[in-house]
Amino acid sequence: TLLLGQHGQIGNWLSAEVGAVLLVLTLTCATRAAELFFQQPPRTREHLGALAGAIAVVAWVRVAPDPDLARAIAVPLLLALQIARGVTAVHADLRREFGPRLAWSLHVPLGGLGLAMLATAIQAWMDRGVAPVPVPIAPVHPWLLLTMLVMAGVLHFAYAGMAVSRLARRLRHLSHRDPLTGLLNRRAMDELLQQEWQRHQRYGEPFAVVLADIDHFKRVNETLGHGAGDDVLALVAGRLQSALRP
């Protein structure tokens, strides 16, 4: 981003071409990190293809008849495509796990940034031959670069918060579930019974507790071993979960 911001102050190949490739690489790595966060299958070929495409485009800029015009179109277009790919790759998983409010609050600004990049490229194309492309100004407007930095910071904090939230849910699940059967453990059942008892005292709503016993379970453990007993417990738990509401 700093290289792009120095366009016109240092060599164009270093500021624009190298800066664009590095920024595309950064966005590709960010997309891959988000895919890993949501446990998606690797898209290594796609990511390598995006990077190779960026290198090919900036190489074409070097030999284009009007390098400034080609640069003003190609660089923001590359960034817009990478932003769009990153948003579409994880939006569904983000919405499913953390809710639509967080998903849209992160991806709408990112999508707007990508559209602004696209508009920059379109504007440069429409202005070709009408006015010269200003060399001292970066091929991506400085305020867009600043917005990208701000969004990067927001994403860092957002994903840190999501990681903590996921860890907290995981710890709560482990503390409330039996590891063998996946059913609520004694602690969780005591909490729910207390809630139901308070509801009964306040509203008079009746509730019942059902105690289920597995016939001949001791014989299974004695004759087939405790491993088979564990299998029986897991099987019965699965039957119960499939027949009851959450």
Side-chain angles (χ1 to χ4, degrees), residues 11-242:
N12 289 344
W13 68 272
L14 179 61
S15 63
E17 281 81 359
V18 176
V21 171
L22 290 177
L23 202 49
V24 169
L25 175 62
T26 301
L27 293 172
T28 302
C29 291
T31 301
R32 179 65 189 126
E35 292 170 349
L36 287 172
F37 185 82
F38 290 105
Q39 299 178 341
Q40 295 183 2
R43 298 184 176 91
T44 305
R45 291 183 178 180
E46 178 182 327
H47 296 317
L48 291 177
L51 184 59
I55 295 174
V57 168
V58 298
W60 165 77
V61 168
R62 297 293 298 165
V63 299
D66 189 348
D68 287 331
L69 176 62
R71 189 179 301 113
I73 295 174
V75 172
L77 189 60
L78 280 174
L79 300 181
L81 290 174
Q82 284 300 107
I83 291 173
R85 181 65 191 93
V87 169
T88 57
V90 299
H91 180 77
D93 288 334
L94 176 60
R95 181 175 180 176
R96 185 181 307 110
E97 182 174 352
F98 295 99
R101 181 177 300 178
L102 178 61
W104 288 115
S105 65
L106 288 178
H107 286 164
V108 166
L110 275 176
L113 180 61
L115 290 176
M117 296 282 186
L118 181 61
T120 300
I122 294 174
Q123 186 64 44
W125 172 258
M126 295 177 62
D127 290 344
R128 71 190 189 283
V130 178
V133 178
V135 176
I137 300 179
V140 181
H141 291 312
W143 65 268
L144 285 179
L145 298 178
L146 179 61
T147 304
M148 289 186 68
L149 288 176
V150 173
M151 285 303 304
V154 170
L155 286 176
H156 282 308
F157 282 108
Y159 270 93
M162 285 187 283
V164 172
S165 175
R166 178 184 285 178
L167 178 61
R169 291 202 308 269
R170 179 62 178 166
L171 291 175
R172 178 175 177 81
H173 177 82
L174 291 175
S175 67
H176 283 73
R177 295 282 174 173
D178 174 64
L180 174 64
T181 63
L183 298 178
L184 295 175
N185 58 21
R186 173 66 180 270
R187 174 183 176 182
M189 285 190 290
D190 285 345
E191 291 180 1
L192 287 176
L193 284 173
Q194 183 65 25
Q195 293 176 12
E196 291 300 320
W197 178 248
Q198 292 175 356
R199 193 197 316 274
H200 167 73
Q201 289 183 314
R202 183 172 183 179
Y203 301 109
E205 295 182 0
F207 73 96
V209 177
V210 178
L211 175 64
D213 186 56
I214 302 176
D215 292 339
H216 313 299
F217 182 68
K218 182 179 179 182
R219 187 184 308 171
V220 172
N221 282 327
E222 291 175 347
T223 58
L224 300 178
H226 289 281
D230 289 346
D231 291 339
V232 171
L233 289 174
L235 178 63
V236 172
R239 294 290 180 86
L240 292 172
Q241 289 176 314
S242 65

